[in-house]
Amino acid sequence: MTELLPNYAAGRWQHGTGPGTALRDPVLGTALVRVDAAGLDLAEAFAFARDTGGAALRAATYRERAAMLMAVVKVLQSHRDSYYEIATANAGTVKNDSAVDIDGAIFTLGQYARWGDALGDVRALRDGGAVKLGKETVFQSQHLQVPRQGVALFINAFNFPAWGLWEKAAPALLSGMPVIVKPATATAWLTQRMVQDVVDAGVLPVGALSVIAGSSAGLMDQLQPFDVVSFTGSAETAGVIRGHPAVAQRSVRANIEADSLNSALLLPGEAPGSEAFHLLVREVVREMTVKSGQKCTAIRRILVPAEVYDAAAEAIGAKLAGITVGNPRNDSVRMGSLVSRAQLASAREGLATLLAHATVLYDGRNQPLVDADPAVAACMGPVLLGARDADAAQPVHDVEVFGPVATLLPYRDSAHAIALAQRGQGSLVTSLYGNDEAALAHTALAVAASHGRVHVVTPDVAQAHSGHGNVMPMSQHGGPGRAGGGAELGGLRALDFYHQRSAVQASPAVLAALGVPDLA
Ligand code: NAP
């Protein structure tokens, strides 16, 4: 029997009372560890986090909490190698892909520690300036941001067990809210281990960080009006969260990051030999293959001028042909596996749906795997699809295949390209490739309303740009509509979710006595 990982709740390590669910190596098929949350006293866990963890965090200033984040950074850095081992074993990722999750998490934490330090030794933040409420200035209104006095529940997706925890926990803890994280079961080990290391190091107040790995049953029932829930996962589960009485009736604040049909758009007039064309091809291949396409921000739809369609298909296909797939322990492997056989089946099913409306332009499914048994490993070679009638191929704009699959779509003119990008019904990100600054700016403004982030790649930023799919803490992550309607990161904007805005109406003397700085 494999080890049963303990949960950390109510300030102590606790094993579930059930048999547990086995977490597997998606390449070798072996069982690694088990998780189980059966029998936990959830009411006690949430009350302890709220009352003990929350009170201790709120007693500290922003600068003191920023110092806690920096201490977390040091703990995680000191255990970094073990996180890479867990990622290889449990997520089947090659080193570069594990880095996106693990080092991305540490980087994000470090950023919030620096930003938080600059907020200083205060316990509330000013939101804008004071405004007079009448003709005279004797009575004014000042908006404040104060930490919410509840607990932040994170229900996370399987694809980012490290970053998914810390990109949310950094702004939450900095804001003074305690965190309970429920990682997706398939890859819960890395999340659990990071929490264990941080708890053991004693760098956070007791109750500030808890982990419950296993079933999600009963978690949402615990939420009270001042709590928040941040969910990342499928649109289907997002619907369950939104419809739960905690959100629907008790006004628990919910942030939803769901699936997204992101696009990449080569601007009109860019010929196959152009630099913009090559930059698009490079980014598409990177996005299709990093983490085997299991990134919520990955490019799913590639929009190119109709006259460039064939050349783009050829260029992307040629690059995909160079991607070796298989066991991430073999240094020659560029792309590891999906996180589980269940995800492989789901990606194949989604691909079958798209195939009814698209043709295969490059098929990596039958290429031999390196050091991996295709009957066991959750590996899948990249597949480039194409649909010459982009308007008619509705499932391409609707079905997110969470794997190394993207579809090439031709457009007639700029207006058609913009309309196709918006057929995703709201996406996390789109990237634009071109040379003409005015045309790029026009397109960026046109698609901004339906995208949380617009990533513009011109030849002069070829080496400097941060990548279509890389979520940087300085920029917002989250998109409208289909993408869930959430907003995370974006620098200190992320603190909004964990704060309550309140307008204090008083005399200038009282407002001055509040002594709080701006939330810039
Ligand atoms: P999922 O099945 O919806 O699961 C997400 C999380 O919800 C898991 O922790 C899961 O726990 C939990 N869960 C399942 N049923 C629940 C319920 N009834 N009540 C409360 N929690 C419940 O999604 P997934 O398959 O793990 O994730 C893949 C999806 O996430 C993709 O569609 C991807 O686009 C999206 N995603 C979005 C972002 C973003 O930032 N927008 C980032 C990453 C992924 P169990 O694992 O125990 O079932």
Side-chain angles (χ1 to χ4, degrees):
M1 213 44 156
T2 52
E3 181 197 353
L4 180 63
L5 300 180
N7 304 287
Y8 188 71
R12 59 186 192 278
W13 292 101
Q14 308 183 41
H15 284 104
T17 53
T21 305
L23 274 51
R24 296 193 171 275
D25 183 318
V27 177
L28 307 177
T30 47
L32 300 166
V33 290
R34 285 172 299 135
V35 294
D36 182 46
L40 293 189
D41 184 341
L42 296 180
E44 182 200 25
F46 277 68
F48 186 86
R50 224 177 261 126
D51 300 338
T52 306
L57 284 170
R58 288 195 306 276
T61 64
Y62 290 91
R63 177 166 288 155
E64 287 164 346
R65 292 194 293 263
M68 294 176 198
L69 296 187
M70 202 39 100
V72 171
V73 166
K74 294 205 174 103
V75 172
L76 298 181
Q77 270 167 345
S78 70
H79 295 279
R80 205 167 147 266
D81 290 349
S82 63
Y83 303 148
Y84 273 78
E85 280 168 27
I86 291 175
T88 304
N90 192 199
T93 38
V94 294
K95 259 203 184 105
N96 281 346
D97 293 356
S98 303
V100 178
D101 190 27
I102 296 165
D103 294 330
I106 296 173
F107 174 70
T108 303
L109 266 165
Q111 278 295 334
Y112 276 94
R114 277 186 284 280
W115 288 326
D117 186 62
L119 291 175
D121 281 313
V122 293
R123 291 183 178 80
L125 300 167
R126 221 152 60 94
D127 183 356
V131 287
K132 58 183 186 172
L133 290 169
K135 276 196 184 137
E136 308 298 331
T137 55
V138 295
F139 194 59
Q140 301 188 353
S141 170
Q142 171 66 62
H143 286 85
L144 293 185
Q145 293 272 22
V146 293
R148 285 173 77 97
Q149 299 188 356
V151 64
L153 170 65
F154 300 160
I155 301 178
N156 282 356
F158 62 76
N159 55 341
F160 280 102
W163 177 82
L165 163 60
W166 295 111
E167 61 105 6
K168 296 181 183 190
L173 294 170
L174 181 58
S175 299
M177 281 195 89
V179 166
I180 296 178
V181 59
K182 183 266 180 272
T185 298
T187 56
W189 193 10
L190 182 51
T191 309
Q192 192 273 354
R193 174 63 70 82
M194 286 180 147
V195 173
Q196 186 172 319
D197 290 338
V198 170
V199 167
D200 287 352
V203 293
L204 290 177
V206 177
L209 180 63
S210 309
V211 59
I212 297 179
S215 164
S216 60
L219 291 175
M220 289 292 297
D221 299 335
Q222 294 302 326
L223 295 177
Q224 295 182 5
F226 300 151
D227 297 337
V228 302
V229 57
S230 185
F231 169 80
T232 302
S234 63
E236 201 184 340
T237 314
V240 176
I241 304 288
R242 279 200 193 90
H244 191 280
V247 177
Q249 288 159 28
R250 297 199 286 280
S251 306
V252 166
R253 205 179 263 182
N255 189 78
I256 308 270
E257 301 287 351
D259 51 13
S260 175
L261 279 300
N262 314 298
S263 52
L265 197 175
L266 180 67
L267 259 71
E270 294 296 345
S274 69
E275 224 177 320
F277 176 90
H278 291 301
L279 289 168
L280 169 109
V281 169
R282 191 174 80 182
E283 202 61 11
V284 163
V285 171
R286 184 153 64 188
E287 286 296 313
M288 287 178 72
T289 55
V290 169
K291 287 178 76 69
S292 298
Q294 298 169 108
K295 261 170 51 238
C296 49
T297 50
I299 296 168
R300 307 294 177 197
R301 301 175 300 146
I302 310 149
L303 310 173
V304 295
E307 60 274 17
V308 173
Y309 180 87
D310 291 323
E314 201 180 312
I316 296 168
K319 273 202 185 302
L320 289 175
I323 303 289
T324 41
V325 184
N327 191 329
R329 295 164 185 89
N330 185 310
D331 286 340
S332 71
V333 167
R334 280 274 305 278
M335 190 166 90
S337 71
L338 303 189
V339 298
S340 64
R341 289 294 286 194
Q343 276 308 309
L344 178 64
S346 163
R348 283 176 174 163
E349 195 186 315
L351 180 56
T353 305
L354 297 191
L355 276 172
H357 304 264
T359 53
V360 177
L361 300 176
Y362 173 81
D363 196 346
R365 282 175 297 176
N366 294 324
Q367 74 184 75
L369 301 181
V370 179
D371 280 354
D373 177 354
V376 175
C379 293
M380 174 177 179
V383 180
L384 179 68
L385 301 176
R388 283 195 188 269
D389 187 345
D391 293 311
Q394 180 54 30
V396 165
H397 306 287
D398 217 25
V399 177
E400 181 203 48
V401 178
F402 214 54
V405 178
T407 307
L408 187 65
L409 301 166
Y411 67 79
R412 290 184 301 277
D413 52 27
S414 173
H416 188 212
I418 291 166
L420 287 172
Q422 290 173 334
R423 282 279 290 275
Q425 298 290 310
S427 304
L428 293 170
V429 53
T430 184
S431 48
L432 314 178
Y433 304 79
N435 234 323
D436 178 341
E437 278 115 12
L440 286 162
H442 167 82
T443 312
L445 284 174
V447 295
S450 51
H451 293 81
R453 185 161 58 84
V454 182
H455 183 82
V456 184
V457 181
T458 44
D460 56 326
V461 300
Q463 302 307 320
H465 81 92
S466 48
H468 162 108
N470 277 352
V471 177
M472 303 297 284
M474 305 81 177
S475 286
Q476 169 176 271
H477 174 57
R482 174 72 193 261
E488 294 177 342
L489 301 173
L492 288 175
R493 289 175 189 84
L495 272 59
D496 280 0
F497 183 65
Y498 304 101
H499 280 73
Q500 178 59 44
R501 182 183 297 124
S502 183
V504 179
Q505 304 184 159
S507 69
V510 171
L511 295 183
L514 294 170
V516 288
D518 285 328
L519 176 54

